[in-house]
Amino acid sequence: MKNLYLVDYWVPFPSSEYGGMVAVVAKDDNECHDVLLDWRDDVESQYDAKIITQVKRASKVAVVSEEPSRVVDAFTT
């Protein structure tokens, strides 16, 4: 079973002016972390250590249908 993770954007102000949120389908925290590492911009790599913290804090909702692991949508600034 997979979950929809609603992850707060981990890049702090002023690099990210208003933050944001990333919606990810993943089976567990580790997979969500890996999907976000693959998705993020290389410029943001300096904040990689913050990703797992935000994944663990994320709201999680069970996904009923079979879905591939991926970033569903994102809003970041």
Side-chain angles (χ1 to χ4, degrees), residues 12-72:
F13 179 85
S15 294
S16 171
E17 190 169 351
Y18 296 106
M21 185 188 71
V22 184
V24 180
V25 172
K27 66 179 178 179
D28 57 29
D29 291 358
N30 291 327
E31 185 177 48
C32 183
H33 176 261
D34 293 346
V35 168
L36 289 170
L37 280 177
D38 289 341
W39 172 81
R40 62 111 174 96
D41 191 331
D42 287 339
V43 174
E44 299 169 356
S45 64
Q46 61 185 319
Y47 306 111
D48 284 355
K50 297 178 182 246
I51 295 174
I52 194 65
T53 300
Q54 295 304 86
V55 167
K56 290 182 179 190
R57 291 179 181 168
S59 297
K60 300 167 188 80
V61 180
V63 175
V64 177
S65 63
E66 281 297 315
E67 291 288 330
S69 299
R70 68 189 192 285
V71 170
V72 176

